[in-house]
Amino acid sequence: MSDTRALGVLQRVFGYESFRGDQQAIVQQVIDGGDALVLMPTGGGKSLCYQIPSLVREGTGIVVSPLIALMQDQVDALTELGVRAAFLNSTQEWRVARDVEQAFLAGELDLLYVAPERLLTDRCLQLLERGNIALFAIDEAHCVSQWGHDFRPEYLGLSMLHERWPDVPRIALTATATAETRTEIAQRLSLTDAHHFVSSFDRPNIRYRIVEKNEVRKQLLDMIRTEHEGESGVVYALSRARVEETAEFLCNQGIDAMPYHAGLSPQVRAANQARFLREDGVVMVATIAFGMGIDKPDVRFVAHIDLPKSVEGYYQETGRAGRDGLPATAWLAYGLQDVVQQRRMIDESPGDDAYRRRLGQQLDAMLGLCETVECRRVRLLAYFGQHITACGNCDVCLDPPQAWDGTVAAQKVLSAVYRLWKERGQRYGAGHIIDILRGKVTDRTKQHGHETLSVFGVGEDLSDTAWRGVLRQLLAQGLLTVDNEGYGTLALTEGSRAVLKGERQLMLRRESEKKARSGKTGGS
Ligand code: ADP
């Protein structure tokens, strides 16, 4: 019977014909008073999963969301549909908040959005005690995971909802989660009895491409000009400085680009975000501070000019492209320097060994995706526990890279690193190692007499670019590492020995000729 009520609300209030994917089962579970943990990709339609039960069940649906900046928009959109919705957060005048509280107590609200820090105040908890609650929805539930980059300590406090309101159904939702994070969410939010709804994470309309980084700004500009001129897109970079300089560069080249990062004032951020959402053809250059909860259907590309720190982060960021289902591009430029830099950042990061190990594993998975000779989508979805066949819509499927026997090349690199360390007690970064292998006489080789090393000039057969590819893959596979002195100098690892001694053959990846030309592959 509740089925027809839910469908009725979907059609009458929201104007949609039918439910999508798991929506109906999820809605039913919550209407019937059960808990749910919902994993659905961005754009999958999570909001209806708690909005409809809030309308069908008696009382008000309390939606916990960290996205204060979006609450107004969400409430406006619902109000337009005739849904009685409101929010409580710190940006509000007290008079307005008081009116909202009164409306809630009078049973005049279908949905009430609350920021987690607000919800956990005594005042708010007491308010909720006095009203009638239909359900609790915990949006962006991955914020409870201490390992993720969106961790919000307030989320840890939300487990008490269950103790205080044991009979009120709870639904936790996220677009980001491996099996591991899912378990963590269930544990930390005391959702042990919740039914898990895991949707397909495939986004077939997104074409994934990972190119070798060379002159990254120029590569980015080429990609935008040749494939997405005048279209909306997001460019992710790791630091504020890179965001600023890239936005400026694109503007100078006639692209309508704007910066977004946590160092900008809230007013500038809000204004830039509003322009991006409302206008066509704006490119947002941003740190990962931008995007959670952004609902813009026609983002045609998401570009990463720095290597993301994890596959989860990458997947979630790229998931902001093509939410309308039309073709979209996820483009990532990645090079040797990214690996060096990120390994170093992990070494220097605060936290204990377990934490660093976890970061290391996340990076390894990301590197595995970058260096794969298998379909990108197969790799990506396998990470989320889903198995598919080759997609035909990623760079590897469309233009397969070649594999070549890099054993000898790897031995040359590793023995250069070994000799410099053993014979001279010296460690160097990738650039100097490559100079030595290629027999290039520089100030530094002269100063240290490196021309006399037996490895000097043994690698003249490969180009600079090719050597960078070899070093990058050795680093990615953990056969070479960045030592922890913090200068990006290279050292051998446990695994290096087997390669050096010829006990292990090493197949490496080389971009196809076509891609190398169009990607203007060079160093990194
Ligand atoms: P998410 O929160 O999972 O990223 P949203 O809830 O914002 O996704 O939904 C994404 C888009 O899909 C919205 O524009 C929404 O109106 C639309 N949508 C959701 N469910 C349906 C449905 N059953 N039929 C048609 N459109 C839907």
Side-chain angles (χ1 to χ4, degrees):
M1 155 191 156
S2 22
D3 274 347
T4 53
R5 279 186 296 168
L7 187 64
V9 171
L10 177 78
Q11 295 173 337
R12 220 178 40 247
V13 179
F14 294 94
Y16 297 131
E17 271 302 297
S18 53
F19 284 111
R20 257 195 210 160
D22 286 340
Q23 277 176 336
Q24 183 167 12
I26 299 166
V27 164
Q28 195 59 53
Q29 164 85 356
V30 181
I31 289 177
D32 292 343
D35 293 339
L37 175 53
V38 174
L39 276 71
M40 209 184 259
T42 308
K46 284 186 284 300
S47 322
L48 290 181
C49 297
Y50 58 81
Q51 287 167 346
I52 291 181
S54 298
L55 288 168
V56 172
R57 282 178 66 89
E58 227 183 278
T60 306
I62 308 295
V63 186
V64 184
S65 166
L67 307 170
I68 292 184
L70 298 183
M71 285 183 184
Q72 183 73 59
D73 287 349
Q74 283 165 327
V75 165
D76 288 349
L78 286 165
T79 307
E80 213 150 290
L81 297 172
V83 176
R84 302 171 302 168
F87 65 85
L88 285 174
N89 71 34
S90 51
T91 66
Q92 241 160 357
E93 265 193 58
W94 71 270
R95 258 180 264 271
V96 178
R98 189 195 51 199
D99 291 348
V100 170
E101 288 174 6
Q102 276 167 3
F104 167 69
L105 291 174
E108 291 164 1
L109 290 181
D110 301 310
L111 280 150
L112 175 59
Y113 287 78
V114 191
E117 59 277 9
R118 175 70 167 239
L119 179 89
L120 295 171
T121 59
D122 284 341
R123 181 185 169 89
C124 193
L125 292 172
Q126 279 160 19
L127 174 78
L128 296 185
E129 293 280 7
R130 291 191 285 141
N132 193 2
I133 302 172
L135 59 89
F136 287 107
I138 302 166
D139 205 5
E140 311 288 349
H142 63 281
C143 290
V144 79
S145 164
Q146 279 169 308
W147 305 108
H149 57 60
D150 292 326
F151 175 56
R152 311 259 171 150
E154 314 85 68
Y155 263 65
L156 293 172
L158 296 175
S159 62
M160 66 79 193
L161 294 178
H162 177 53
E163 286 141 38
R164 217 147 157 166
W165 288 275
D167 299 328
V168 175
R170 291 170 306 147
I171 169 171
L173 310 102
T174 178
T176 200
T178 57
E180 228 174 352
T181 319
R182 203 197 321 161
T183 314
E184 200 181 347
I185 293 173
Q187 235 167 32
R188 291 186 193 274
L189 293 177
S190 304
L191 278 165
T192 32
D193 294 331
H195 195 299
H196 291 204
F197 294 92
V198 183
S199 302
S200 166
F201 270 61
D202 193 11
R203 298 283 306 281
N205 60 316
I206 298 181
R207 176 171 294 182
Y208 295 96
R209 275 162 58 208
I210 301 181
V211 306
E212 212 171 317
K213 194 190 278 190
N214 137 32
E215 296 163 81
V216 68
R217 290 191 310 195
K218 194 168 168 305
Q219 290 174 289
L220 173 69
L221 185 65
D222 279 355
M223 186 277 290
I224 297 177
R225 281 208 177 127
T226 54
E227 298 168 40
H228 295 288
E229 181 94 68
E231 296 181 333
S232 300
V234 183
V235 178
Y236 282 106
L238 274 191
S239 71
R240 296 172 187 183
R242 265 171 81 72
V243 165
E244 292 284 352
E245 78 193 22
T246 307
E248 194 184 318
F249 168 79
L250 290 177
C251 285
N252 289 339
Q253 300 295 323
I255 308 266
D256 190 358
M258 289 180 311
Y260 189 103
H261 57 72
L264 296 169
S265 71
Q267 292 80 0
V268 173
R269 263 183 293 162
N272 288 3
Q273 174 168 319
R275 250 205 86 204
F276 176 76
L277 291 177
R278 277 175 205 137
E279 293 178 29
D280 288 334
V282 176
V283 174
M284 188 71 108
V285 186
T287 59
I288 55 170
F290 177 73
M292 213 187 358
I294 293 288
D295 182 10
K296 181 170 171 67
D298 59 349
V299 174
R300 292 272 67 84
F301 69 91
V302 169
H304 284 86
I305 57 171
D306 292 313
L307 183 70
K309 291 183 178 148
S310 69
V311 176
E312 279 189 283
Y314 171 73
Y315 178 80
Q316 195 170 37
E317 283 140 27
T318 53
R320 291 172 189 138
R323 292 177 70 165
D324 53 10
L326 298 173
T329 304
W331 183 92
L332 159 65
Y334 144 80
L336 174 58
Q337 221 38 52
D338 285 298
V339 195
V340 173
Q341 191 191 358
Q342 295 224 8
R343 291 250 191 259
R344 200 165 67 194
M345 274 160 53
I346 292 175
D347 275 340
E348 290 167 1
S349 76
D352 56 14
D353 281 351
Y355 177 68
R356 274 196 288 273
R357 214 171 314 123
R358 173 94 170 223
L359 292 180
Q361 286 162 356
Q362 290 180 342
L363 177 61
D364 287 342
M366 191 62 221
L367 292 173
L369 177 66
C370 292
E371 300 291 359
T372 185
V373 286
E374 201 182 19
C375 164
R376 305 269 188 213
R377 202 179 308 269
V378 164
R379 273 306 269 258
L380 197 54
L381 294 179
Y383 189 75
F384 296 101
Q386 199 184 330
H387 300 285
I388 57 158
T389 53
C391 73
N393 191 27
C394 71
D395 56 348
V396 175
C397 284
L398 293 168
D399 191 12
Q402 297 148 1
W404 62 290
D405 187 342
T407 314
V408 174
Q411 285 168 340
K412 288 178 182 172
V413 172
L414 298 178
S415 79
V417 173
Y418 177 78
R419 285 184 190 289
L420 283 164
W421 178 241
K422 274 288 163 211
E423 295 170 14
R424 314 271 173 112
Q426 297 165 344
R427 282 195 168 144
Y428 291 95
H432 188 62
I433 305 280
I434 292 174
D435 286 346
I436 290 175
L437 291 171
R438 300 202 66 217
K440 205 150 124 199
V441 179
T442 66
D443 287 346
R444 195 186 260 177
T445 58
K446 279 194 278 195
Q447 188 190 341
H448 296 286
H450 286 163
E451 293 93 341
T452 62
L453 287 166
S454 58
V455 288
F456 191 80
V458 295
E460 282 169 329
D461 53 328
L462 294 182
S463 66
D464 253 22
T465 311
W467 279 117
R468 296 189 102 80
V470 175
L471 266 83
R472 192 190 71 228
Q473 293 178 73
L474 287 172
L475 275 162
Q477 295 194 29
L479 297 171
L480 194 60
T481 188
V482 180
D483 73 9
N484 44 22
E485 283 162 26
Y487 302 108
T489 56
L490 302 174
L492 299 189
T493 68
E494 287 287 307
S496 312
R497 177 187 290 266
V499 179
L500 263 175
K501 289 171 75 184
E503 292 164 5
R504 177 170 167 190
Q505 189 197 17
L506 201 65
M507 293 310 285
L508 296 179
R509 173 194 163 99
R510 179 163 44 211
E511 296 312 334
S512 75
E513 289 295 314
K514 195 169 101 207
K515 187 165 170 188
R517 255 180 284 125
S518 66
K520 298 185 182 63
T521 320
S524 76

